[in-house]
């Protein structure tokens, strides 16, 4: 990292408009393109504070500040357009979480980087609607929270309750949600409301290590820990009536279920295995990066292809995982209300992926190009009329599900044409961490956090309460700031706001 | 020659004329009749008749054939043509006697009836099959129908008629009439922002086409879903086992 005094660093950062900043070439060595990040007044302060702290003499170790990470990504071979930082950006391994970057597949030097996908491959959010209203659920929210908690295994080291053997896992890795469909865990309509139809076709389970499979097998159908959760939410405000009604949401007060989960230990192991391989590939192909954490390989090298195939298998794992939890949530609701999930109209509104690299077609300087788009802590947000979004959302644009932090609200946005042009159809994914996990543990008391939930009228079930302060709203940026920034910058459009009434956490 | 009798006997090549002056062909036909149909001799006794085509076979074969004629009781006839004709008739008679019950009902009248060219007995129930699609009358009527249904016409009346048919199918058939009106608001097509063209009318036309296309993709998706559900009927067997579960630490 280049260390300059703070005021000199600022010369490389230029305000474009009220909601975005440009990072000029030269901020970090070898930058091939510019960087851009989206913020509002509140978030901007966090970004610049982080940079100022990093500029103080003697500050070494830990993650680089987000702006530096955006610039380092802009120095990777084959990058096109800009390295984009979204409003919820915070430091991560290699790429910042909330950073997206696209690489030209037809450029032989272009790379794929596991750091640009993240360890929780295809971590994502799924939103189910119901035809229930708040008044139906409020009186029984404690029971239904308990019922969900009993149905969905949560927490570190939790194990799934859907019987699976090694052969089932192989098939699930290859088939993704088609496996869940075949086995009858989900509905046919679920598949159409899922990114990629819930299956990455290039998945190849033979490229996944034995170790990853061993870790993954017992964890399928479990929520996990950390920031993962299942929430019962109530529609609080509707901003775009037409888009909301396309999603089956007619009025405020309607009850939804949000599931936020990923590929558990399986994805983590796939990423770890790939990083080892890629360090070798970098030496062989003489790929230079500004940060050792940005380990990568050429897209068309064996290591690059193997990673993409294993990553696709992990993505499929995550979809099967969310599908299994969809099944369990439907059962929990059906039992509580003594009816069937069909009668509760528990359809999947949409399922988005936060951590994934995908091959997409985009316009770059007026030319159509095939790109490998890395989205880490970023959500795809395709505009209306895009061929890859479900037919039901052709007029509204793709739904973007933005999960808030525990106890705060969540949002549903839709994709816009401007987002397609500016950010390769990407937008924010959540609140984004403001305090590190360690800092949260030091500064907050878990009993206070649980008490706060109670006063907010939120039923909460936690598998490991002593870790709950890591996920407290104080540890995160304000999701409303994040979403408002995306809306104001035009890279996605607000559709509705949801507020939790019950939370299940790891 | 002998086509009818050979057909009746299910000879493999009834249409190929048998040349009775060719002794090899003649001998082969006799042998086929004995082997397949007449079966007067035991299999091992047919050996002398079988020796066709070997060097100097004629002498032995003719002797065996003379004996065969006597044994099957052929009456005195003139030359190989009549001889073969008699043998074929004899074989047909044997076949008939084997299955009298089956063949009894085949009287001349019955056969005549069977041979009548079968007329198409199903008269078309679709009145459109008999429509004259070119006359001026047709065009005028189609236009009248379109006016009645309140949709625009095309220069080709067949296309106009297709549009009318579609409108009737989508909106006026009993199933469509009984369907509840879709809930929610319609897409505000007139107020929505520019889609493709600066010209307002072209843009509206483009939007309408887009909506129609979305509708047809929706239909495709629905039928895909129906197929998935049909297959799920066979494959689906969701199971859970709460004994496997382990929550937290």
């Amino acid at each position: 990292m280049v260390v300059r005094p703070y005021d000199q660093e600022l010369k490389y950062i230029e305000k474009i408009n009220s909601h975005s900043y440009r990072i000029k070439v030269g901020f970090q060595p070898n930058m091939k393109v510019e960087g851009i990040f989206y913020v509002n007044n509140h978030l901007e302060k966090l970004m610049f504070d982080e940079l100022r702290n990093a500029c103080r003499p003697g500050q070494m170790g830990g993650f680089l500040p987000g702006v530096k990470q955006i610039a380092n990504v802009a120095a990777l071979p084959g990058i096109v357009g800009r390295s984009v930082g979204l409003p919820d950006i915070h430091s991560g391994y290699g790429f910042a979480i909330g950073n997206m970057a696209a690489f030209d597949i037809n450029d032989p030097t272009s790379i794929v980087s596991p750091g640009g996908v993240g360890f929780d491959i295809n971590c994502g959010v799924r939103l189910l609607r119901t035809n229930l209203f708040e008044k139906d659920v409020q009186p029984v929210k404690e029971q239904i929270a308990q019922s969900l908690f009993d149905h969905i295994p949560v927490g570190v080291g939790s194990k799934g309750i859907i019987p699976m053997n090694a052969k089932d896992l192989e098939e699930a890795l290859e088939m993704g949600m088609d496996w869940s469909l075949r086995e009858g865990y989900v509905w046919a309509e679920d598949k159409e409301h899922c990114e990629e139809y819930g299956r990455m076709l290039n998945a190849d389970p033979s490229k996944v290590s034995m170790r990853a499979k061993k870790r993954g097998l017992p964890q399928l159908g479990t929520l996990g820990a950390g920031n993962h959760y299942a929430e019962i939410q109530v529609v609080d405000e509707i901003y775009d009536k037409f888009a909301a009604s396309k999603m089956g949401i007619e009025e405020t007060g309607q009850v939804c279920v949000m599931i936020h989960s990923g590929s558990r230990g399986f994805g983590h192991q796939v990423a770890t295995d790939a990083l080892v391989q890629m360090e070798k590939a970098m030496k062989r192909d003489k790929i230079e990066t500004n940060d050792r954490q940005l380990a990568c390989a050429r897209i068309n090298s064996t290591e690059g292809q193997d990673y993409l195939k294993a990553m696709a298998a992990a993505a499929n794992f995550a979809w099967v995982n969310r599908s299994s939890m969809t099944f369990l949530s439907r059962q929990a609701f059906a039992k509580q209300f003594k009816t069937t999930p069909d009668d509760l109209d528990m359809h999947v509104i949409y399922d988005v992926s936060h951590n994934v690299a995908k091959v997409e077609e985009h316009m770059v300087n007026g030319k159509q190009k095939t790109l490998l788009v890395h989205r880490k802590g970023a959500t795809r947000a395709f505009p209306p009329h895009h061929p890859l979004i479900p037919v039901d959302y052709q007029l509204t644009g793709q739904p973007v599900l933005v999960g808030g932090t525990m106890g705060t609200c969540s949002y549903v946005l839709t994709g816009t044409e401007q987002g397609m042009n500016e950010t390769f159809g990407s937008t924010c994914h959540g609140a984004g961490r403001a305090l590190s996990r360690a800092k949260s543990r030091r500064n907050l008391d878990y009993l206070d956090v649980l008490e706060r939930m109670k006063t907010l009228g939120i039923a909460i079930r936690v598998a490991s309460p002593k870790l709950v302060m890591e996920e407290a709203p104080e540890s995160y940026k304000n999701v409303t700031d994040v979403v408002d920034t995306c809306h104001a910058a035009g890279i996605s459009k607000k559709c509705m706001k949801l507020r939790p009434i019950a939370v299940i956490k790891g | 020659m002998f086509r009818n009798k050979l057909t009746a006997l299910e000879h493999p090549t009834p249409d190929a004329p048998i040349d009775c002056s060719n002794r090899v062909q003649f001998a082969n036909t006799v042998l086929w009749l004995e082997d397949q149909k007449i079966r007067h001799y035991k299999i091992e006794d047919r050996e002398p008749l079988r020796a066709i085509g070997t060097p100097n076979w004629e002498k032995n074969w003719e002797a065996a054939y003379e004996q065969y004629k006597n044994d099957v009781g052929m009456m005195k006839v003139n030359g190989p043509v009549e001889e073969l004709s008699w043998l074929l008739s004899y074989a047909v008679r044997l076949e008939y006697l084997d299955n009298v019950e089956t063949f009894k009902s085949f009287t001349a009248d019955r056969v005549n009836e069977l041979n009548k060219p079968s007329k198409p007995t199903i008269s078309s129930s679709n009145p459109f099959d008999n429509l004259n699609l070119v006359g001026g009358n047709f065009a005028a009527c189609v236009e009248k129908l379109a006016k009645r249904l309140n949709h625009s016409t095309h220069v080709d009346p067949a296309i106009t008629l297709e549009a009318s048919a579609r409108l009737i199918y989508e909106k006026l058939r009993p199933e469509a009439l009984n369907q509840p009106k879709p809930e929610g608001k319609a897409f505000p097509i007139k107020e929505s922002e520019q889609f493709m063209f600066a010209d307002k009318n072209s843009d509206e036309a483009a939007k309408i086409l887009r909506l129609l296309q979305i509708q047809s993709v929706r239909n495709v998706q629905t039928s895909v879903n129906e197929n998935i559900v049909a297959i799920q009927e066979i494959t689906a067997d969701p199971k859970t086992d709460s004994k496997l579960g382990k929550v937290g630490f």
Side-chain angles (χ1 to χ4, degrees):
Chain A
M1 185 177 131
V2 188
V3 185
R4 307 183 192 91
Y6 179 59
D7 54 340
Q8 280 188 35
E9 296 279 28
L10 287 185
K11 289 191 179 131
Y12 289 93
I13 301 176
E14 179 184 75
K15 195 161 187 162
I16 303 174
N17 55 36
S18 59
H19 288 96
S20 57
Y21 280 86
R22 172 183 297 127
I23 304 172
K24 290 192 221 164
V25 172
F27 185 58
Q28 285 289 81
N30 291 322
M31 280 174 72
K32 316 238 168 358
V33 295
E34 289 182 338
I36 182 174
F37 60 92
Y38 293 86
V39 281
N40 67 3
N41 294 335
H42 293 134
L43 302 169
E44 162 187 300
K45 198 174 158 292
L46 289 172
M47 280 302 260
F48 285 108
D49 280 353
E50 194 183 34
L51 179 62
R52 185 187 294 127
N53 286 339
C55 289
R56 275 194 308 216
Q59 277 292 318
M60 288 304 268
F63 283 130
L64 297 175
V67 266
K68 286 284 178 189
Q69 290 197 314
I70 297 173
N72 282 339
V73 168
L76 289 173
I79 187 167
V80 295
R82 291 181 292 196
S83 171
V84 179
L86 296 154
D88 49 343
I89 195 163
H90 56 106
S91 305
Y93 185 91
F95 282 56
I97 295 153
N99 189 182
M100 70 75 46
F103 299 84
D104 185 353
I105 285 210
N106 292 317
D107 175 350
T109 64
S110 287
I111 54 94
V112 53
S113 171
V117 172
F119 283 92
D120 193 359
I121 296 167
N122 194 11
C123 168
V125 169
R126 174 177 290 204
L127 187 64
L128 309 178
R129 68 167 186 244
T130 70
N131 55 12
L132 298 165
F133 279 83
E134 192 176 0
K135 61 175 168 27
D136 306 316
V137 178
Q138 251 331 329
V140 291
K141 73 177 176 201
E142 289 294 338
Q143 288 95 310
I144 188 132
Q146 188 59 44
S147 170
L148 271 181
F149 192 67
D150 292 341
H151 277 76
I152 302 177
V154 295
V156 180
S158 54
K159 287 182 177 177
I161 59 166
I162 287 174
M164 284 269 240
N165 57 33
K167 187 173 151 277
D168 294 328
L169 181 70
E170 291 282 324
E171 288 176 351
L173 293 179
E174 192 187 323
M175 294 171 70
M177 233 172 116
D178 286 347
W179 184 86
S180 306
L181 265 180
R182 189 186 75 187
E183 302 298 319
Y185 291 105
V186 289
W187 303 346
E189 293 83 2
D190 296 355
K191 181 177 163 69
E192 69 173 283
H193 285 173
C194 202
E195 255 183 75
E196 307 283 306
Y197 295 99
R199 175 181 189 169
M200 294 267 254
L201 292 170
N202 61 335
D204 184 350
S206 72
K207 303 291 181 200
V208 175
S209 70
M210 224 30 234
R211 211 186 141 130
K213 288 176 191 168
K214 268 204 181 124
R215 273 180 82 173
L217 183 57
Q219 293 180 339
L220 204 59
T222 65
L223 187 74
N227 59 347
H228 294 151
Y229 60 80
E231 272 184 359
I232 303 172
Q233 305 177 334
V234 169
V235 178
D236 199 39
E237 262 181 273
I238 295 177
Y239 309 103
D240 183 342
K241 195 123 183 54
F242 176 70
S245 87
K246 276 275 163 198
M247 298 172 199
I249 302 296
E250 298 298 340
E251 280 176 66
T252 55
Q254 203 169 331
V255 172
C256 295
V257 181
M258 187 177 269
I259 297 167
H260 177 200
S261 183
S263 49
R264 308 284 282 109
F266 183 86
H268 197 285
Q269 192 62 46
V270 166
T272 311
D273 293 341
L275 285 171
V276 177
Q277 294 303 314
M278 289 199 175
E279 274 188 17
K280 287 181 208 150
M282 281 174 82
K283 225 171 258 167
R284 183 195 61 209
D285 295 337
K286 302 193 175 58
I287 304 171
E288 305 236 347
T289 59
N290 290 340
D291 182 355
R292 215 176 140 255
Q293 291 184 349
L294 287 169
C296 56
R298 293 199 171 134
I299 295 172
N300 49 21
S301 67
T302 322
E303 292 81 4
Q305 283 301 315
D306 284 357
Y307 171 66
L308 285 173
K309 286 172 188 164
M311 183 208 70
N316 287 345
F317 182 98
W319 277 311
V320 173
N321 201 21
R322 286 199 286 277
S323 296
S324 300
M325 281 182 280
T326 305
F327 173 75
L328 298 171
S329 312
R330 281 174 178 155
Q331 283 205 326
F333 266 74
K335 231 180 241 171
Q336 180 64 42
F337 293 95
K338 300 199 173 49
T339 173
T340 64
D342 281 282
D343 288 330
L344 289 169
D345 193 37
M346 291 186 77
H347 279 283
V348 170
I349 289 181
Y350 205 61
D351 178 306
V352 295
S353 310
H354 290 159
N355 288 352
V356 84
K358 284 201 258 201
V359 178
E360 290 170 7
E361 302 280 322
H362 285 276
M363 299 300 282
V364 181
N365 301 326
K367 271 192 219 130
Q368 187 177 341
K369 285 199 167 169
T370 310
L371 307 176
L372 183 68
V373 181
H374 290 62
R375 291 194 184 90
K376 181 185 191 180
T379 317
R380 192 185 78 175
F382 279 169
H385 307 296
H386 194 285
L388 292 183
I389 64 177
V391 54
D392 295 341
Y393 302 129
Q394 281 289 318
L395 294 171
T396 63
Q398 179 209 312
V400 177
L401 314 173
V402 181
T405 40
M406 190 175 68
T408 64
C409 47
S410 299
Y411 286 88
V412 178
L413 317 177
T414 52
T416 63
E417 200 57 55
Q418 195 184 342
M420 200 64 185
N421 297 331
E422 283 189 21
T423 60
F424 297 98
S426 311
T427 191
C428 64
H429 86 299
R433 211 160 246 296
L435 296 183
S436 73
R437 289 180 185 277
K439 230 180 192 167
S440 313
R441 277 201 299 268
R442 282 200 302 272
N443 297 350
L444 303 166
D445 185 351
Y446 77 94
L447 289 170
D448 292 345
V449 176
L450 292 178
E451 192 54 39
R452 259 269 299 292
M453 294 293 130
K454 222 171 168 185
T455 50
L456 285 169
I458 300 169
I460 182 162
R461 294 291 181 280
V462 198
S464 35
K466 298 208 165 153
L467 293 177
V468 89
M469 57 275 197
E470 289 182 7
E471 303 303 322
E474 291 87 342
S475 314
Y476 282 88
K477 297 180 183 180
N478 182 346
V479 68
T480 305
D481 272 335
V482 169
V483 165
D484 285 347
T485 306
C486 290
H487 182 81
I491 55 175
S492 47
K493 193 174 156 207
K494 285 208 285 191
C495 171
M496 58 186 171
K497 180 177 159 193
L498 304 145
R499 107 185 107 78
I501 55 171
V503 186
I504 312 300
K505 263 191 103 64
Chain B
M1 202 181 275
F2 309 127
R3 195 166 60 93
N4 286 346
K5 283 176 189 165
L6 286 170
T7 307
L9 290 169
E10 295 167 323
H11 188 273
T13 57
D15 293 324
I18 294 169
D19 182 2
C20 291
S21 58
N22 179 337
R23 214 53 187 161
V24 179
Q25 247 187 57
F26 179 83
N28 273 320
T29 311
V30 170
L31 178 64
W32 182 81
L33 282 169
E34 170 57 19
D35 266 349
Q36 303 291 324
K37 302 292 166 185
I38 298 172
R39 294 193 283 264
H40 188 78
Y41 290 162
K42 285 184 192 149
I43 292 178
E44 54 271 26
D45 296 340
R46 293 175 202 159
E47 274 318 305
L49 285 172
R50 241 181 254 290
I52 304 163
T54 53
N56 304 319
W57 62 280
E58 285 100 337
K59 204 175 138 216
N60 289 331
W61 191 83
E62 292 300 342
Y65 179 56
E66 279 305 316
Q67 182 59 45
Y68 182 66
K69 283 199 283 192
N70 277 332
D71 291 343
V72 295
M74 188 190 293
M75 57 187 206
K76 201 92 187 120
V77 289
N78 284 326
V81 177
E82 284 185 17
E83 278 173 13
L84 193 58
S85 176
W86 188 91
L87 278 172
L88 284 165
S89 303
Y90 180 60
V92 168
R93 199 162 72 87
L94 292 175
E95 282 289 290
Y96 175 79
L97 288 173
D98 281 349
N99 279 303
V100 183
E101 286 305 312
T102 318
F103 296 122
K104 212 164 57 176
S105 59
F106 283 81
T107 57
D109 290 346
R110 173 89 199 279
V111 171
N112 269 342
E113 207 165 274
L114 282 177
N115 284 344
K116 264 187 210 164
S118 56
K119 271 188 203 149
T121 48
I122 310 153
S123 60
S124 167
S125 60
N126 183 357
F128 291 97
D129 285 354
N130 301 326
L131 265 183
N132 180 3
L133 294 176
V134 282
N137 194 22
F138 171 70
C141 289
V142 166
E143 209 161 301
K144 222 165 146 187
L145 179 66
K147 223 175 199 169
R148 194 75 195 276
L149 291 167
N150 197 18
H151 69 78
S152 52
T153 55
H154 188 266
V155 275
D156 182 351
I159 292 178
T160 311
L161 185 64
E162 213 180 306
S164 303
R166 218 165 137 176
L167 204 139
I168 291 166
Y169 180 80
E170 297 286 350
K171 293 258 164 92
L172 301 173
R173 81 195 144 114
E175 294 94 325
L177 284 173
N178 290 335
Q179 237 169 33
K181 271 202 163 176
E183 283 175 31
K185 268 196 190 148
F187 177 60
I189 193 163
K190 298 228 182 208
E191 299 95 72
S192 60
E193 53 199 78
Q194 183 187 329
F195 175 43
M196 285 184 98
F197 304 109
D199 174 54
K200 250 192 143 181
N201 289 333
S202 314
D203 200 51
E204 197 175 321
K207 281 182 196 165
I208 290 168
L209 279 176
R210 177 80 185 108
L211 288 181
L212 285 170
Q213 193 243 351
I214 288 174
Q215 190 189 31
S216 89
V217 176
R218 181 63 258 173
N219 291 339
V220 171
Q221 183 72 62
T222 304
S223 77
V224 167
N225 289 350
E226 283 164 0
N227 284 321
I228 293 175
V229 171
I231 293 167
Q232 274 186 322
E233 295 280 317
I234 303 165
T235 62
D237 183 20
K239 279 193 206 103
T240 54
D241 182 355
S242 50
K243 277 200 262 8
L244 295 172
K246 191 181 139 223
V247 174
F249 55 77

